């Protein structure tokens, strides 16, 4: 962003720059790019949301619930990246709307309808004076009878889209390129969990992954009904150990492949030298 140009047009949410940009929204997106990562992966038998916890003080009492993954209703949950205080307001609204819909219609609220309603509110905060955009992006995972399992992402502008696999927060570009290469539409929930671990292993700044730094939530069908689970730290530790073992096996296989190629190349060179000497 050109600082001189931006300074003339970024004071108000409602003023367009000459290039047609709303700088306050771009600044909100920038705040999200510096937040902890969240990954969402759609599998054929469920959905995974995984989030990075920012390092906290040892003396801080941690609740039993997840820090960045929120249950909205029996059939829908979300994870957040950005300003958590902003996220709490939006999460409360989402929970209220889901319960109101259940009271009136005696059924689960369709997932996209819930996402769209929140995005309408978010869009309003980019159009009316005196308001600032919410500095938070959300990943939603949900299930309804019409469309089955669904994964959505929304940002401060009020845009939303459905995804098979995506990432928000820090290093999201690197994570998305890994997901693009590794994601398989027919993957199971267990495979999706291991893919999420792989993404974090390659994109997080820390050398070792621990259950203190990551949290996982899953949505799957139990007796035909959607059920949301937050994985316990000991289960996360087992998952991370499994992911580490697979990574080491892949590295060993890659090393063996390179060595075999090197041997083959040397053999070819040797044969060429023999033929030349004859």
């Amino acid at each position: 962003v050109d600082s001189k140009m931006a300074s003339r047009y970024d004071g108000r949410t409602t003023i367009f720059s000459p290039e047609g940009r709303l700088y306050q929204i771009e600044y909100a997106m920038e705040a999200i790019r510096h937040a902890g990562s969240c990954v969402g992966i759609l599998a054929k038998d469920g959905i995974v949301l995984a989030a990075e916890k920012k390092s906290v003080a040892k003396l801080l009492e941690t609740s039993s619930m997840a820090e960045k993954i929120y249950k909205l209703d029996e059939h829908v949950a979300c994870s957040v990246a950005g300003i958590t205080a902003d996220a709490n307001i939006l999460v409360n609204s989402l929970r209220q709307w889901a319960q109101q819909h259940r009271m009136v219609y005696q059924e689960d609220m369709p997932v996209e309808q819930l996402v769209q309603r929140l995005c309408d509110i978010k869009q309003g905060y980019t159009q009316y004076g005196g308001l600032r955009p919410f500095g938070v992006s959300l990943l939603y995972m949900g299930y309804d009878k019409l469309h089955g399992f669904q994964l959505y992402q929304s940002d401060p502008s009020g845009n939303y889209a459905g995804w098979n696999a995506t990432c928000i927060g820090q290093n999201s570009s690197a994570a998305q390129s890994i997901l693009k290469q590794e994601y398989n539409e027919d993957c199971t929930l267990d495979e999706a969990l291991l893919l999420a671990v792989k993404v974090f292993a390659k994109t997080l700044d820390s050398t070792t992954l621990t259950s203190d730094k990551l949290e996982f939530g899953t949505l799957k069908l139990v007796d035909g009904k959607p059920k949301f689970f937050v994985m316990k730290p000991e289960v996360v530790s087992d998952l991370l150990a499994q992911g580490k073992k697979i990574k080491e096996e892949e590295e060993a296989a890659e090393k063996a492949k390179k060595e075999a190629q090197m041997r083959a190349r040397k053999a070819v060179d040797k044969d060429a030298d023999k033929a030349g000497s004859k």
Side-chain angles (χ1 to χ4, degrees):
V1 177
D2 186 333
S3 57
K4 273 192 176 179
M5 182 66 80
S7 63
R8 290 163 61 191
Y9 298 100
D10 67 355
R12 301 267 176 88
T13 316
T14 51
I15 296 178
F16 283 102
S17 76
E19 298 93 34
R21 291 158 73 176
L22 291 169
Y23 284 116
Q24 285 295 322
I25 294 171
E26 292 184 22
Y27 297 160
M29 301 285 273
E30 195 59 38
I32 291 156
R33 286 191 197 102
H34 292 99
S37 306
C38 295
V39 173
I41 302 172
L42 185 66
K44 63 182 180 183
D45 56 345
I47 312 181
V48 173
L49 284 182
E52 174 196 1
K53 294 190 220 175
K54 282 295 182 186
S55 55
V56 291
K58 282 185 179 179
L59 297 177
L60 186 69
E61 185 187 353
T62 52
S63 66
S64 58
M65 289 304 290
E67 185 184 304
K68 292 179 72 179
I69 299 175
Y70 300 84
K71 181 180 178 179
L72 304 176
D73 199 356
E74 294 301 323
H75 69 299
V76 63
C78 73
S79 70
V80 302
I83 302 168
T84 316
D86 284 8
N88 288 334
I89 295 288
L90 298 179
V91 165
N92 282 340
S93 298
L94 286 163
R95 285 171 173 165
Q96 281 182 340
W97 296 332
Q99 292 308 312
Q100 285 167 1
H101 189 280
R102 188 183 290 279
M103 262 184 80
V104 174
Y105 299 104
Q106 301 299 307
E107 64 172 18
D108 294 341
M109 188 172 187
V111 183
E112 189 173 0
Q113 194 177 322
L114 185 62
V115 174
Q116 194 170 10
R117 185 164 178 185
L118 185 73
C119 286
D120 289 346
I121 300 291
K122 284 209 230 182
Q123 189 277 332
Y125 276 71
T126 70
Q127 197 171 4
Y128 303 114
L131 305 174
R132 73 156 173 82
F134 290 98
V136 67
S137 274
L138 290 94
L139 290 182
Y140 314 78
M141 63 175 179
Y143 176 88
D144 57 46
K145 289 174 186 174
L146 194 62
H147 297 295
F149 290 109
Q150 297 152 74
L151 174 68
Y152 292 97
Q153 175 191 337
S154 72
D155 60 43
S157 66
N159 282 333
Y160 75 93
W163 293 79
N164 285 327
T166 189
C167 178
I168 54 175
Q170 211 166 19
N171 300 324
S172 58
S173 305
Q176 281 180 341
S177 65
I178 294 165
L179 290 168
K180 213 177 280 183
Q181 292 167 357
E182 304 276 347
Y183 177 72
N184 174 18
E185 285 188 21
D186 293 325
C187 69
T188 62
L189 194 60
D190 292 338
E191 288 167 346
L193 282 164
L194 288 170
L195 178 55
V197 171
K198 191 173 187 176
V199 168
F200 280 129
K202 288 188 176 180
T203 57
L204 289 194
D205 299 329
S206 56
T207 49
T208 52
L209 300 179
T210 63
S211 57
D212 298 336
K213 294 174 186 169
L214 296 174
E215 58 192 16
F216 290 80
T218 60
L219 187 74
K220 58 184 179 182
L221 293 180
V222 177
D223 300 327
K225 291 182 178 179
K227 196 86 176 163
F228 169 68
F229 299 93
V230 173
M231 291 171 71
K232 291 180 179 176
E234 53 268 26
V235 181
V236 173
S237 296
D238 292 344
L239 180 68
L240 295 177
Q242 196 181 342
K244 189 179 178 184
K245 188 182 174 187
I246 290 168
K247 187 186 175 187
E248 285 168 357
E249 285 170 2
E250 283 179 356
E251 284 172 354
E254 188 66 32
K255 192 180 176 185
K257 189 181 173 184
K258 280 181 182 175
E259 285 172 357
Q261 285 173 345
M262 191 74 79
R263 282 196 298 270
R265 204 175 293 129
K266 280 180 181 176
V268 169
D269 291 344
K270 206 173 181 182
D271 292 343
D273 289 343
K274 277 183 184 177
S277 61
K278 282 177 186 177

